[in-house]
Amino acid sequence: MTSTQRRRTLLLALPVAALLLWLVLYPNLFVLGDSLREGGRITFDAYVRFFRSPSEREALWNSVWLSAASVALAGAVGIPLAFLFSRYDFPGRRILGGLASLPVLLPPLVGVIAFVFLFGESGFLARGVQLLLGLERPPWRLTGAPAILLVHAYTMYVYFFLFTSAGLARLDPTYAEAAAALGAGRWEILRRVTLPMLAPSVLGAALLVFMTAMGSFSAPYVFGGGFRVLTTQVFASKLNGDLTMAAVETVMLAVVCVLFLVLLQRYEAGREYTGAGKGIAPAARPLRGRAARSLVPAVAWLGVGFLLLPHATVLLVSFVPEGTWTTQFVPPTYSLDNYRDLFTDPQMARPLLNSLQMASLATVANVVLAVAAAYLLVRRRFRGKWLINALVILPWALPGTVLAIALATTFSVDRPLAGRFVLVGTFIILPLAYFIRNIPLVTRAAMASFRQLDPALEEAAGSLGASPAYTLRRVMLPLVLPGLVAGAMLAFVTALGEFVASILLYTHRTRPISMAILSELRAFDFGAAAAYGVLLILLMALVFVLGFRSVNADARGL
């Protein structure tokens, strides 16, 4: 590396590292300090209590295996769907590809409630089977680890689906053609060419699913019953006033996630993924055989229809007037009153506008940081690279509750020389929380794209006299755009429906739509809450359709 390149790397790395240290590490030091402070002194007694407690050890083990199982189940659903909609051409493929992304559009709180109304023991399906078979009791109970895994697999397979779709869009078809010309069969090409080239996308999705499952709170809280995980243990410890144990449980949660990250990075370090891709995606192949042309579209439509049942449940409930649905199998009356109130009452429309503004602001900041951080981590060698890599992924290792408390503690005091400002109670605190939470999401997506980009393209542009800024704008960004768009889409919809951090940081003036939904649920106005949820889903769907079209169009060089 020349001295000019080292200077440019340093000029880019310093502000990125400073920003991550200030916003990611600095607030969380308060959490670590709380775990070591008991009775006004520094001690490890709380850690000793944690490891001696059978219930704490059970919660730790349950969190680990549940997260690993969530990765396996989400991958088993998302990766085949990505291949189906990216590689094969059949009627409705583009529409189904967009619809298959919709489960990620259910905000955590709305999604869990939809599962209760649909699959719970008093839900539509259970009541229907009970009435059909004349049973005295509901045929099943949606509780425990299987119920949590069902929710996780449903809401998280989209990470694998989007990341693998983006990876397939970037994959140069000449590799498979060359392997076929050398005599390799279809399965050998898949095993030895396609899957290794997709490894960055698949591993990035696996990491995000594991981190998300470790920090999941809504599903374990609603469906867990007696099943313990660390996130619910943190909540219980806070309710019981044992703040030191809550901090210890949070630290243990972070340690597990960091260990998983280290293992994944060691695996990645032993593999090479870069290829001379030209950014041209392979054309979708038509299905061969009459049976395949008939069965595959039918199964695809049925499967996607099943995935959309929770959305249909929320839509149905949104037409139910307040106080009219009690013990009936289906709601007895329907009206548009809930939607009319949303569009005619300025107080009810305010949360939607707040969420749009805050999610947009956070996503733009995420994209800018992700491009800079991913470029540094994939393309440059410099001291302290490990630190930026760790800081980028750290927000996923901490639950949203911890982040919210850390931000509330750090930014409730006006001490500019210590990097602390009064942001609590202002509009900026929630976009800041969304930005920090989604740093790993967008950055990992951008890193996967940079890893599949041939470094020779950047070198060629430089040798032809292009400046670094021109090379970034005209060569690199267009080629990494599919992965970047996928990460930005996920960040935007995640911020739109964010719940855990919002509940601790919002004010009435800045309340987002998730808090409006919670307010309606607390008032037992399920119809109004569902109407908010439907608007949120429609808005997220619009973002995904536009983003999906952008990824496909860019892959084809349009």
Side-chain angles (χ1 to χ4, degrees), residues 64-76:
V64 172
W65 80 256
L66 194 74
S67 300
S70 298
V71 171
L73 289 175

Side-chain angles (χ1 to χ4, degrees), residues 188-368:
E188 188 173 8
I189 293 174
L190 175 67
R191 183 171 60 87
R192 303 192 63 177
V193 178
T194 305
L195 290 181
M197 295 299 292
L198 288 176
S201 300
V202 174
L203 292 177
L207 179 64
L208 293 177
V209 170
F210 187 88
M211 300 298 191
T212 306
M214 283 293 294
S216 174
F217 176 78
S218 301
Y221 181 70
V222 174
F223 297 116
F227 188 80
R228 301 172 185 270
V229 295
L230 279 179
T231 51
T232 53
Q233 288 292 100
V234 172
F235 182 73
S237 296
K238 285 186 176 295
L239 283 183
N240 295 330
D242 194 349
L243 299 182
T244 304
M245 181 53 69
V248 171
E249 291 158 349
T250 301
V251 172
M252 295 308 301
L253 197 61
V255 168
V256 172
C257 292
V258 171
L259 284 176
F260 182 79
L261 172 64
V262 170
L263 291 175
L264 201 65
Q265 285 186 321
R266 290 189 63 179
Y267 177 77
E268 285 181 319
R271 301 172 66 87
E272 294 291 341
Y273 305 108
T274 302
K278 301 179 179 63
I280 301 174
R285 298 195 298 265
L287 296 169
R288 295 180 180 178
R290 182 178 299 177
R293 287 195 294 271
S294 301
L295 288 178
V296 170
V299 172
W301 279 100
L302 286 175
V304 172
F306 177 79
L307 293 174
L308 297 181
L309 279 179
H311 299 73
T313 302
V314 176
L315 179 63
L316 178 67
V317 177
S318 71
F319 294 110
V320 178
E322 183 179 4
T324 60
W325 186 27
T326 53
T327 60
Q328 299 88 347
F329 170 53
V330 294
T333 58
Y334 302 90
S335 78
L336 294 174
D337 290 350
N338 295 319
Y339 291 100
R340 185 190 59 201
D341 293 340
L342 285 182
F343 290 109
T344 57
D345 186 348
Q347 290 296 322
M348 296 192 71
R350 186 71 250 172
L352 181 60
L353 296 177
N354 283 341
S355 289
L356 281 173
Q357 293 170 349
M358 292 187 288
S360 301
L361 187 60
T363 304
V364 169
N366 278 129
V367 169
V368 173

